[in-house]
Amino acid sequence: MSRINKNVVLALLTLTSSAFLLFQLYYYKHYLSTKNGAGLSKSKGSRIGFDSTQWRAVKKFIMLTSNQNVPVFLIDPLILELINKNFEQVKNTSHGSTSQCKFFCVPRDFTAFALQYHLWKNEEGWFRIAENMGFQCLKIESKDPRLDGIDSLSGTEIPLHYICKLATHAIHLVVFHERSGNYLWHGHLRLKEHIDRKFVPFRKLQFGRYPGAFDRPELQQVTVDGLEVLIPKDPMHFVEEVPHSRFIECRYKEARAFFQQYLDDNTVEAVAFRKSAKELLQLAAKTLNKLGVPFWLSSGTCLGWYRQCNIIPYSKDVDLGIFIQDYKSDIILAFQDAGLPLKHKFGKVEDSLELSFQGKDDVKLDVFFFYEETDHMWNGGTQAKTGKKFKYESNKYLFIKVLQK
């Protein structure tokens, strides 16, 4: 009898447990999932995931900037990559018509936006309104490097980064400043002593580990997860710039010391040459960037930037360096299409290649190709008049380390 009772009890317990489990599944499917936006019927065009912390923070931030006419644009690499992969769908989506949260609901700590500072008209007022809307905001400032060449103004501080947190998600607003040369620059995010290091996980920020420089992007408005946002017209170009955007400031103090010992050449001829050389450098950079060929300042052009923050007026040319493995057969044609005819070609691809192109106003562009050996780097050089060849060797590890900086 005792044995029968135990089996009955065991059967009742099993039945009760199964019924409880089925009830939990039913309750989650029809109540909790609907409440959290995690699983509604697809046939009804459900707004899946629109209750996420990230989406609410982004929505509130966009409302804030839109109402205050603050022209921010999305620069978050992860989201821009997702948008680019689904660009046709995003382009054809109207405001508020999205049924799923595919971009702003990815679980993460930050969403990155940018602002061109010269377009911001009411910074202090915006800051107060953001806090009234529930954001906790942090402002990071530092001295303006554009004024380092002017002793009396070198201490002037400018805003570099804003971090506005709502609940557990934060908006990282990167402040872009205009620099001569028609590019945008953002500063290094350095935390001062009084800043709470636990405010957000700063180490996860994608911008601010070092100063950065970017081409000025053309913007377009799209609807992303039901929200109207501005993004770069070519999102992948911006994303591809990010890992190569590190900006190294000129050594203004050392340059001033140099010109105290050696007077700067400000003759009409020197000023004209520097102008033409900089225009040629910009054209060369644009041409190589289109080809996807990485390059760096070399020889006298690099020395001028490092030593005196300018083009050396008596050099009479512009020098660039390229790793031979990055050589492309259409480089010559690309430069010729840009209006720079080939003047000289020395060496071969497999040995000491050097290309020389003719710019306007008799300014020449020399492109040196660098070769990697086991323990050193080298590039060739040829005298145009005599044909005499030279081989310039560099410490391999020091050379690569300098380029990485």
mmCIF file of all heavy atoms in Angstrom, residues 322-362:
data_model
loop_
_atom_site.group_PDB
_atom_site.id
_atom_site.type_symbol
_atom_site.label_atom_id
_atom_site.label_comp_id
_atom_site.label_asym_id
_atom_site.label_seq_id
_atom_site.Cartn_x
_atom_site.Cartn_y
_atom_site.Cartn_z
ATOM 1 N N ILE A 322 55.347 55.146 -50.189
ATOM 2 C CA ILE A 322 54.348 54.081 -50.299
ATOM 3 C C ILE A 322 55.071 52.743 -50.178
ATOM 4 O O ILE A 322 56.154 52.554 -50.751
ATOM 5 C CB ILE A 322 53.609 54.138 -51.655
ATOM 6 C CG1 ILE A 322 52.822 55.449 -51.796
ATOM 7 C CG2 ILE A 322 52.665 52.945 -51.818
ATOM 8 C CD1 ILE A 322 52.170 55.638 -53.160
ATOM 9 N N PHE A 323 54.502 51.793 -49.437
ATOM 10 C CA PHE A 323 55.055 50.445 -49.402
ATOM 11 C C PHE A 323 54.876 49.789 -50.772
ATOM 12 O O PHE A 323 53.805 49.927 -51.386
ATOM 13 C CB PHE A 323 54.374 49.589 -48.335
ATOM 14 C CG PHE A 323 54.796 49.914 -46.930
ATOM 15 C CD1 PHE A 323 53.867 50.296 -45.980
ATOM 16 C CD2 PHE A 323 56.136 49.823 -46.559
ATOM 17 C CE1 PHE A 323 54.254 50.588 -44.676
ATOM 18 C CE2 PHE A 323 56.530 50.112 -45.257
ATOM 19 C CZ PHE A 323 55.598 50.495 -44.320
ATOM 20 N N ILE A 324 55.891 49.094 -51.238
ATOM 21 C CA ILE A 324 55.835 48.495 -52.571
ATOM 22 C C ILE A 324 54.695 47.488 -52.691
ATOM 23 O O ILE A 324 54.108 47.320 -53.773
ATOM 24 C CB ILE A 324 57.186 47.834 -52.942
ATOM 25 C CG1 ILE A 324 57.212 47.490 -54.431
ATOM 26 C CG2 ILE A 324 57.448 46.619 -52.068
ATOM 27 C CD1 ILE A 324 57.073 48.692 -55.356
ATOM 28 N N GLN A 325 54.302 46.843 -51.584
ATOM 29 C CA GLN A 325 53.194 45.877 -51.666
ATOM 30 C C GLN A 325 51.850 46.568 -51.905
ATOM 31 O O GLN A 325 50.867 45.915 -52.270
ATOM 32 C CB GLN A 325 53.112 45.005 -50.399
ATOM 33 C CG GLN A 325 52.940 45.761 -49.106
ATOM 34 C CD GLN A 325 54.265 45.977 -48.398
ATOM 35 O OE1 GLN A 325 55.297 46.145 -49.053
ATOM 36 N NE2 GLN A 325 54.257 45.959 -47.069
ATOM 37 N N ASP A 326 51.814 47.897 -51.713
ATOM 38 C CA ASP A 326 50.578 48.643 -51.968
ATOM 39 C C ASP A 326 50.559 49.245 -53.372
ATOM 40 O O ASP A 326 49.616 49.964 -53.733
ATOM 41 C CB ASP A 326 50.414 49.762 -50.935
ATOM 42 C CG ASP A 326 50.169 49.224 -49.537
ATOM 43 O OD1 ASP A 326 49.421 48.241 -49.414
ATOM 44 O OD2 ASP A 326 50.730 49.763 -48.563
ATOM 45 N N TYR A 327 51.609 48.990 -54.164
ATOM 46 C CA TYR A 327 51.676 49.511 -55.531
ATOM 47 C C TYR A 327 50.536 48.935 -56.371
ATOM 48 O O TYR A 327 50.208 47.743 -56.289
ATOM 49 C CB TYR A 327 53.016 49.155 -56.169
ATOM 50 C CG TYR A 327 53.069 49.463 -57.658
ATOM 51 C CD1 TYR A 327 53.284 50.754 -58.112
ATOM 52 C CD2 TYR A 327 52.871 48.442 -58.600
ATOM 53 C CE1 TYR A 327 53.321 51.037 -59.484
ATOM 54 C CE2 TYR A 327 52.911 48.712 -59.963
ATOM 55 C CZ TYR A 327 53.134 50.010 -60.394
ATOM 56 O OH TYR A 327 53.166 50.290 -61.739
ATOM 57 N N LYS A 328 49.931 49.784 -57.190
ATOM 58 C CA LYS A 328 48.899 49.346 -58.129
ATOM 59 C C LYS A 328 49.275 49.815 -59.522
ATOM 60 O O LYS A 328 49.788 50.929 -59.699
ATOM 61 C CB LYS A 328 47.524 49.898 -57.723
ATOM 62 C CG LYS A 328 46.991 49.317 -56.425
ATOM 63 C CD LYS A 328 45.572 49.806 -56.143
ATOM 64 C CE LYS A 328 45.022 49.157 -54.875
ATOM 65 N NZ LYS A 328 43.638 49.598 -54.571
ATOM 66 N N SER A 329 49.014 48.984 -60.494
ATOM 67 C CA SER A 329 49.431 49.282 -61.866
ATOM 68 C C SER A 329 48.751 50.522 -62.437
ATOM 69 O O SER A 329 49.258 51.127 -63.393
ATOM 70 C CB SER A 329 49.147 48.079 -62.769
ATOM 71 O OG SER A 329 47.762 47.745 -62.734
ATOM 72 N N ASP A 330 47.594 50.905 -61.872
ATOM 73 C CA ASP A 330 46.882 52.066 -62.414
ATOM 74 C C ASP A 330 47.212 53.364 -61.681
ATOM 75 O O ASP A 330 46.520 54.376 -61.871
ATOM 76 C CB ASP A 330 45.372 51.827 -62.391
ATOM 77 C CG ASP A 330 44.853 51.361 -61.035
ATOM 78 O OD1 ASP A 330 45.687 51.092 -60.148
ATOM 79 O OD2 ASP A 330 43.623 51.266 -60.880
ATOM 80 N N ILE A 331 48.260 53.372 -60.849
ATOM 81 C CA ILE A 331 48.649 54.600 -60.148
ATOM 82 C C ILE A 331 49.037 55.685 -61.145
ATOM 83 O O ILE A 331 48.608 56.845 -61.033
ATOM 84 C CB ILE A 331 49.811 54.319 -59.170
ATOM 85 C CG1 ILE A 331 49.283 53.650 -57.900
ATOM 86 C CG2 ILE A 331 50.535 55.623 -58.797
ATOM 87 C CD1 ILE A 331 50.357 53.365 -56.856
ATOM 88 N N ILE A 332 49.865 55.332 -62.133
ATOM 89 C CA ILE A 332 50.325 56.333 -63.108
ATOM 90 C C ILE A 332 49.137 56.924 -63.864
ATOM 91 O O ILE A 332 49.024 58.149 -64.033
ATOM 92 C CB ILE A 332 51.342 55.705 -64.080
ATOM 93 C CG1 ILE A 332 52.618 55.306 -63.330
ATOM 94 C CG2 ILE A 332 51.678 56.676 -65.216
ATOM 95 C CD1 ILE A 332 53.644 54.586 -64.186
ATOM 96 N N LEU A 333 48.244 56.058 -64.341
ATOM 97 C CA LEU A 333 47.072 56.517 -65.084
ATOM 98 C C LEU A 333 46.194 57.408 -64.207
ATOM 99 O O LEU A 333 45.664 58.435 -64.672
ATOM 100 C CB LEU A 333 46.281 55.323 -65.601
ATOM 101 C CG LEU A 333 45.017 55.645 -66.417
ATOM 102 C CD1 LEU A 333 45.383 56.453 -67.652
ATOM 103 C CD2 LEU A 333 44.282 54.358 -66.813
ATOM 104 N N ALA A 334 46.030 57.057 -62.926
ATOM 105 C CA ALA A 334 45.196 57.849 -62.016
ATOM 106 C C ALA A 334 45.767 59.257 -61.826
ATOM 107 O O ALA A 334 45.021 60.247 -61.823
ATOM 108 C CB ALA A 334 45.077 57.142 -60.672
ATOM 109 N N PHE A 335 47.086 59.362 -61.682
ATOM 110 C CA PHE A 335 47.705 60.682 -61.539
ATOM 111 C C PHE A 335 47.592 61.490 -62.828
ATOM 112 O O PHE A 335 47.358 62.703 -62.805
ATOM 113 C CB PHE A 335 49.172 60.541 -61.129
ATOM 114 C CG PHE A 335 49.380 60.392 -59.647
ATOM 115 C CD1 PHE A 335 49.959 59.248 -59.123
ATOM 116 C CD2 PHE A 335 49.004 61.400 -58.767
ATOM 117 C CE1 PHE A 335 50.141 59.100 -57.757
ATOM 118 C CE2 PHE A 335 49.182 61.265 -57.409
ATOM 119 C CZ PHE A 335 49.752 60.112 -56.897
ATOM 120 N N GLN A 336 47.747 60.824 -63.960
ATOM 121 C CA GLN A 336 47.609 61.532 -65.240
ATOM 122 C C GLN A 336 46.183 62.034 -65.433
ATOM 123 O O GLN A 336 45.975 63.153 -65.920
ATOM 124 C CB GLN A 336 48.022 60.600 -66.380
ATOM 125 C CG GLN A 336 49.519 60.319 -66.412
ATOM 126 C CD GLN A 336 49.920 59.330 -67.492
ATOM 127 O OE1 GLN A 336 49.108 58.489 -67.907
ATOM 128 N NE2 GLN A 336 51.164 59.405 -67.946
ATOM 129 N N ASP A 337 45.201 61.223 -65.041
ATOM 130 C CA ASP A 337 43.797 61.656 -65.125
ATOM 131 C C ASP A 337 43.522 62.837 -64.205
ATOM 132 O O ASP A 337 42.598 63.625 -64.460
ATOM 133 C CB ASP A 337 42.865 60.493 -64.766
ATOM 134 C CG ASP A 337 42.840 59.412 -65.844
ATOM 135 O OD1 ASP A 337 43.268 59.703 -66.977
ATOM 136 O OD2 ASP A 337 42.406 58.283 -65.553
ATOM 137 N N ALA A 338 44.305 62.945 -63.117
ATOM 138 C CA ALA A 338 44.144 64.062 -62.180
ATOM 139 C C ALA A 338 44.881 65.317 -62.651
ATOM 140 O O ALA A 338 44.888 66.330 -61.951
ATOM 141 C CB ALA A 338 44.644 63.651 -60.803
ATOM 142 N N GLY A 339 45.513 65.235 -63.837
ATOM 143 C CA GLY A 339 46.217 66.400 -64.374
ATOM 144 C C GLY A 339 47.682 66.466 -64.013
ATOM 145 O O GLY A 339 48.301 67.534 -64.105
ATOM 146 N N LEU A 340 48.271 65.306 -63.622
ATOM 147 C CA LEU A 340 49.682 65.260 -63.247
ATOM 148 C C LEU A 340 50.406 64.284 -64.175
ATOM 149 O O LEU A 340 50.461 63.080 -63.916
ATOM 150 C CB LEU A 340 49.832 64.814 -61.788
ATOM 151 C CG LEU A 340 49.133 65.680 -60.729
ATOM 152 C CD1 LEU A 340 49.253 65.040 -59.354
ATOM 153 C CD2 LEU A 340 49.715 67.081 -60.719
ATOM 154 N N PRO A 341 50.969 64.773 -65.257
ATOM 155 C CA PRO A 341 51.650 63.886 -66.204
ATOM 156 C C PRO A 341 52.931 63.296 -65.613
ATOM 157 O O PRO A 341 53.584 63.915 -64.765
ATOM 158 C CB PRO A 341 51.976 64.806 -67.390
ATOM 159 C CG PRO A 341 51.991 66.184 -66.804
ATOM 160 C CD PRO A 341 50.982 66.182 -65.698
ATOM 161 N N LEU A 342 53.256 62.078 -66.036
ATOM 162 C CA LEU A 342 54.468 61.404 -65.572
ATOM 163 C C LEU A 342 55.691 62.104 -66.160
ATOM 164 O O LEU A 342 55.801 62.282 -67.377
ATOM 165 C CB LEU A 342 54.450 59.934 -65.990
ATOM 166 C CG LEU A 342 55.636 59.083 -65.537
ATOM 167 C CD1 LEU A 342 55.623 58.914 -64.023
ATOM 168 C CD2 LEU A 342 55.602 57.713 -66.223
ATOM 169 N N LYS A 343 56.621 62.485 -65.298
ATOM 170 C CA LYS A 343 57.852 63.149 -65.732
ATOM 171 C C LYS A 343 59.015 62.167 -65.805
ATOM 172 O O LYS A 343 59.780 62.158 -66.765
ATOM 173 C CB LYS A 343 58.190 64.292 -64.777
ATOM 174 C CG LYS A 343 59.375 65.139 -65.231
ATOM 175 C CD LYS A 343 59.580 66.338 -64.313
ATOM 176 C CE LYS A 343 60.729 67.197 -64.839
ATOM 177 N NZ LYS A 343 60.954 68.406 -63.985
ATOM 178 N N HIS A 344 59.168 61.328 -64.760
ATOM 179 C CA HIS A 344 60.236 60.333 -64.727
ATOM 180 C C HIS A 344 59.705 59.044 -64.102
ATOM 181 O O HIS A 344 58.830 59.081 -63.244
ATOM 182 C CB HIS A 344 61.436 60.806 -63.903
ATOM 183 C CG HIS A 344 62.103 62.042 -64.436
ATOM 184 N ND1 HIS A 344 62.772 62.069 -65.645
ATOM 185 C CD2 HIS A 344 62.210 63.295 -63.912
ATOM 186 C CE1 HIS A 344 63.252 63.281 -65.844
ATOM 187 N NE2 HIS A 344 62.924 64.036 -64.809
ATOM 188 N N LYS A 345 60.268 57.939 -64.553
ATOM 189 C CA LYS A 345 60.039 56.651 -63.899
ATOM 190 C C LYS A 345 61.387 55.954 -63.779
ATOM 191 O O LYS A 345 62.032 55.649 -64.786
ATOM 192 C CB LYS A 345 59.065 55.783 -64.698
ATOM 193 C CG LYS A 345 58.819 54.412 -64.060
ATOM 194 C CD LYS A 345 57.869 53.561 -64.897
ATOM 195 C CE LYS A 345 57.662 52.187 -64.261
ATOM 196 N NZ LYS A 345 56.753 51.324 -65.064
ATOM 197 N N PHE A 346 61.821 55.739 -62.531
ATOM 198 C CA PHE A 346 63.105 55.100 -62.287
ATOM 199 C C PHE A 346 62.880 53.734 -61.648
ATOM 200 O O PHE A 346 61.956 53.536 -60.868
ATOM 201 C CB PHE A 346 63.966 55.947 -61.349
ATOM 202 C CG PHE A 346 64.251 57.333 -61.886
ATOM 203 C CD1 PHE A 346 63.725 58.454 -61.259
ATOM 204 C CD2 PHE A 346 65.042 57.513 -63.012
ATOM 205 C CE1 PHE A 346 63.982 59.725 -61.747
ATOM 206 C CE2 PHE A 346 65.299 58.778 -63.507
ATOM 207 C CZ PHE A 346 64.761 59.890 -62.879
ATOM 208 N N GLY A 347 63.774 52.790 -61.968
ATOM 209 C CA GLY A 347 63.709 51.476 -61.361
ATOM 210 C C GLY A 347 62.539 50.649 -61.859
ATOM 211 O O GLY A 347 61.842 51.010 -62.811
ATOM 212 N N LYS A 348 62.335 49.523 -61.200
ATOM 213 C CA LYS A 348 61.240 48.610 -61.528
ATOM 214 C C LYS A 348 60.460 48.282 -60.258
ATOM 215 O O LYS A 348 60.922 48.560 -59.152
ATOM 216 C CB LYS A 348 61.798 47.324 -62.141
ATOM 217 C CG LYS A 348 62.604 47.542 -63.409
ATOM 218 C CD LYS A 348 63.170 46.234 -63.911
ATOM 219 C CE LYS A 348 64.007 46.452 -65.172
ATOM 220 N NZ LYS A 348 64.596 45.179 -65.667
ATOM 221 N N VAL A 349 59.315 47.662 -60.440
ATOM 222 C CA VAL A 349 58.495 47.313 -59.277
ATOM 223 C C VAL A 349 59.277 46.416 -58.326
ATOM 224 O O VAL A 349 59.202 46.572 -57.101
ATOM 225 C CB VAL A 349 57.184 46.623 -59.714
ATOM 226 C CG1 VAL A 349 56.405 46.124 -58.500
ATOM 227 C CG2 VAL A 349 56.331 47.569 -60.538
ATOM 228 N N GLU A 350 60.055 45.520 -58.870
ATOM 229 C CA GLU A 350 60.809 44.593 -58.021
ATOM 230 C C GLU A 350 62.109 45.199 -57.492
ATOM 231 O O GLU A 350 62.822 44.560 -56.712
ATOM 232 C CB GLU A 350 61.103 43.292 -58.786
ATOM 233 C CG GLU A 350 61.926 43.467 -60.042
ATOM 234 C CD GLU A 350 61.091 43.743 -61.288
ATOM 235 O OE1 GLU A 350 59.894 44.089 -61.134
ATOM 236 O OE2 GLU A 350 61.633 43.593 -62.393
ATOM 237 N N ASP A 351 62.445 46.416 -57.920
ATOM 238 C CA ASP A 351 63.717 46.987 -57.471
ATOM 239 C C ASP A 351 63.715 48.518 -57.591
ATOM 240 O O ASP A 351 63.738 49.058 -58.696
ATOM 241 C CB ASP A 351 64.870 46.400 -58.290
ATOM 242 C CG ASP A 351 66.216 47.002 -57.911
ATOM 243 O OD1 ASP A 351 66.384 47.364 -56.732
ATOM 244 O OD2 ASP A 351 67.080 47.117 -58.790
ATOM 245 N N SER A 352 63.660 49.204 -56.429
ATOM 246 C CA SER A 352 63.856 50.665 -56.301
ATOM 247 C C SER A 352 62.989 51.504 -57.240
ATOM 248 O O SER A 352 63.488 52.388 -57.938
ATOM 249 C CB SER A 352 65.335 51.021 -56.486
ATOM 250 O OG SER A 352 65.801 50.671 -57.779
ATOM 251 N N LEU A 353 61.695 51.233 -57.258
ATOM 252 C CA LEU A 353 60.776 52.016 -58.087
ATOM 253 C C LEU A 353 60.612 53.417 -57.519
ATOM 254 O O LEU A 353 60.487 53.615 -56.311
ATOM 255 C CB LEU A 353 59.413 51.315 -58.150
ATOM 256 C CG LEU A 353 58.340 52.024 -58.984
ATOM 257 C CD1 LEU A 353 58.741 52.059 -60.458
ATOM 258 C CD2 LEU A 353 56.989 51.320 -58.819
ATOM 259 N N GLU A 354 60.605 54.387 -58.420
ATOM 260 C CA GLU A 354 60.368 55.784 -58.037
ATOM 261 C C GLU A 354 59.629 56.459 -59.184
ATOM 262 O O GLU A 354 60.003 56.311 -60.356
ATOM 263 C CB GLU A 354 61.698 56.505 -57.783
ATOM 264 C CG GLU A 354 61.550 57.979 -57.467
ATOM 265 C CD GLU A 354 62.885 58.706 -57.416
ATOM 266 O OE1 GLU A 354 63.937 58.032 -57.344
ATOM 267 O OE2 GLU A 354 62.866 59.960 -57.462
ATOM 268 N N LEU A 355 58.564 57.184 -58.868
ATOM 269 C CA LEU A 355 57.779 57.883 -59.871
ATOM 270 C C LEU A 355 57.828 59.386 -59.613
ATOM 271 O O LEU A 355 57.824 59.821 -58.468
ATOM 272 C CB LEU A 355 56.321 57.415 -59.853
ATOM 273 C CG LEU A 355 56.071 55.921 -60.063
ATOM 274 C CD1 LEU A 355 54.584 55.615 -59.909
ATOM 275 C CD2 LEU A 355 56.568 55.475 -61.433
ATOM 276 N N SER A 356 57.864 60.159 -60.679
ATOM 277 C CA SER A 356 57.902 61.614 -60.556
ATOM 278 C C SER A 356 56.857 62.210 -61.490
ATOM 279 O O SER A 356 56.827 61.888 -62.695
ATOM 280 C CB SER A 356 59.295 62.141 -60.904
ATOM 281 O OG SER A 356 59.353 63.539 -60.750
ATOM 282 N N PHE A 357 55.978 63.049 -60.944
ATOM 283 C CA PHE A 357 54.899 63.659 -61.717
ATOM 284 C C PHE A 357 55.059 65.184 -61.714
ATOM 285 O O PHE A 357 55.525 65.768 -60.737
ATOM 286 C CB PHE A 357 53.539 63.280 -61.137
ATOM 287 C CG PHE A 357 53.282 61.803 -61.140
ATOM 288 C CD1 PHE A 357 53.615 61.019 -60.043
ATOM 289 C CD2 PHE A 357 52.711 61.189 -62.238
ATOM 290 C CE1 PHE A 357 53.373 59.655 -60.037
ATOM 291 C CE2 PHE A 357 52.460 59.818 -62.252
ATOM 292 C CZ PHE A 357 52.805 59.050 -61.146
ATOM 293 N N GLN A 358 54.636 65.788 -62.796
ATOM 294 C CA GLN A 358 54.774 67.236 -62.930
ATOM 295 C C GLN A 358 53.489 67.945 -62.513
ATOM 296 O O GLN A 358 52.429 67.737 -63.106
ATOM 297 C CB GLN A 358 55.110 67.610 -64.372
ATOM 298 C CG GLN A 358 55.361 69.093 -64.572
ATOM 299 C CD GLN A 358 56.543 69.584 -63.750
ATOM 300 O OE1 GLN A 358 57.655 69.080 -63.883
ATOM 301 N NE2 GLN A 358 56.297 70.547 -62.862
ATOM 302 N N GLY A 359 53.594 68.767 -61.470
ATOM 303 C CA GLY A 359 52.472 69.598 -61.055
ATOM 304 C C GLY A 359 52.534 70.959 -61.705
ATOM 305 O O GLY A 359 53.445 71.249 -62.492
ATOM 306 N N LYS A 360 51.583 71.827 -61.366
ATOM 307 C CA LYS A 360 51.588 73.167 -61.956
ATOM 308 C C LYS A 360 52.642 74.033 -61.275
ATOM 309 O O LYS A 360 53.141 73.709 -60.195
ATOM 310 C CB LYS A 360 50.197 73.792 -61.823
ATOM 311 C CG LYS A 360 49.778 74.143 -60.409
ATOM 312 C CD LYS A 360 48.443 74.860 -60.417
ATOM 313 C CE LYS A 360 48.063 75.329 -59.011
ATOM 314 N NZ LYS A 360 46.785 76.077 -58.989
ATOM 315 N N ASP A 361 52.976 75.136 -61.919
ATOM 316 C CA ASP A 361 53.972 76.096 -61.410
ATOM 317 C C ASP A 361 55.323 75.430 -61.168
ATOM 318 O O ASP A 361 56.067 75.802 -60.246
ATOM 319 C CB ASP A 361 53.478 76.757 -60.105
ATOM 320 C CG ASP A 361 52.172 77.515 -60.304
ATOM 321 O OD1 ASP A 361 51.976 78.058 -61.399
ATOM 322 O OD2 ASP A 361 51.353 77.542 -59.373
ATOM 323 N N ASP A 362 55.636 74.428 -61.973
ATOM 324 C CA ASP A 362 56.935 73.760 -61.927
ATOM 325 C C ASP A 362 57.209 73.069 -60.590
ATOM 326 O O ASP A 362 58.364 72.880 -60.198
ATOM 327 C CB ASP A 362 58.064 74.766 -62.222
ATOM 328 C CG ASP A 362 59.308 74.072 -62.755
ATOM 329 O OD1 ASP A 362 59.154 73.030 -63.426
ATOM 330 O OD2 ASP A 362 60.426 74.558 -62.487
#
